[in-house]
Amino acid sequence: KMKANSDGGEDSADLPPPLPFLPVKGICTSTSSQRNAWDRKFNELLEFKQQHGHCDVPQTYAQNPKLGVWVNKQRMEHKNREDGNISTLTDERLERLQGIGFRWAKRRGQVRWDEKYAELIQYAAKFGNCHVPTKYKENTALGRWVSTQRAEYKKYCKGEKSSLTAEKIRRLDSIGFAWFMAL
């Protein structure tokens, strides 16, 4: 119940406390200092692009280590946004980054896949099959990669999102890849 004060208005001392701010899913507000920090890093990225011709700052960029970390954070924020999670990547920031040719994913994916595929071919030539143990001591990364291909194949077959494509499956089939291992 509000009390009238001497000038006829209500006494603010009797008002309930304000409700806490609750962010809406997918939208994250930022303070002025956060916006300024983002703008500074964006300008540093513009300088990097002017010098190197691209926006792919290595995460361990010696001349400006924080810029590499910031670029990686933008990619993570983009993924959060794409997945419908809270993200600091506003429409304006997204447009600004896209406007300078920012790439949201590193190119390493296909190159790395091709490298592991070549290692698998070498393994098959040495052992006569593609049955790389998950904990293959000579190349633990290859063992994990083979295991990952099987897991991604299961997703692909179920119609779920998968990193495997029909072309990758064809290539693995062509070298006798075993999609399922007998226990």
Side-chain angles (χ1 to χ4, degrees):
K1 191 171 179 179
M2 302 285 258
K3 295 180 193 173
N5 62 19
S6 61
D7 65 354
E10 294 174 340
D11 191 351
S12 63
D14 292 332
L15 291 176
L19 293 174
F21 173 74
L22 299 173
V24 176
K25 185 173 182 180
I27 299 172
C28 182
T29 59
S30 59
T31 65
S32 177
S33 66
Q34 288 170 324
R35 280 191 300 275
N36 291 339
W38 193 94
D39 287 337
R40 278 193 302 278
K41 286 294 176 214
F42 181 80
N43 289 332
E44 290 173 21
L45 179 60
L46 286 175
E47 290 173 22
F48 178 92
K49 183 179 182 182
Q50 190 173 10
Q51 291 173 1
H52 300 278
H54 60 78
C55 298
D56 298 330
V57 182
Q59 196 165 351
T60 56
Y61 182 50
Q63 290 90 333
N64 187 345
K66 290 183 179 180
L67 180 60
V69 171
W70 181 85
V71 164
N72 192 55
K73 181 170 179 11
Q74 302 317 299
R75 290 188 175 115
M76 291 186 321
E77 291 297 332
H78 182 259
K79 183 173 181 348
N80 285 341
R81 183 181 163 120
E82 292 289 303
D83 292 346
N85 297 322
I86 292 174
S87 172
T88 60
L89 189 64
T90 63
D91 290 345
E92 178 198 353
R93 290 175 177 180
L94 179 73
E95 288 172 17
R96 288 176 69 188
L97 288 167
Q98 287 174 333
I100 63 168
F102 190 88
R103 281 186 314 142
W104 299 108
K106 298 176 186 172
R107 281 194 186 144
R108 289 186 0 217
Q110 183 64 42
V111 171
R112 182 154 170 77
W113 194 92
D114 288 336
E115 288 170 358
K116 292 298 171 203
Y117 178 76
E119 291 173 23
L120 181 60
I121 290 172
Q122 291 173 348
Y123 179 95
K126 183 175 179 179
F127 295 102
N129 63 54
C130 297
H131 305 165
V132 183
T134 302
K135 296 182 179 180
Y136 179 48
K137 285 187 179 18
E138 288 183 40
N139 186 343
T140 55
L142 180 61
R144 285 191 309 271
W145 182 83
V146 165
S147 179
T148 298
Q149 301 317 296
R150 290 189 182 112
E152 291 297 312
Y153 181 72
K154 287 177 185 173
K155 291 182 198 174
Y156 182 89
C157 291
K158 291 178 184 176
E160 297 173 0
K161 185 177 177 182
S162 169
S163 63
L164 273 184
T165 62
E167 174 61 17
K168 288 177 180 177
I169 292 169
R170 185 198 61 73
R171 288 174 67 189
L172 288 165
D173 281 340
S174 75
I175 61 169
F177 188 82
W179 294 105
F180 303 98
M181 296 298 295
L183 298 175

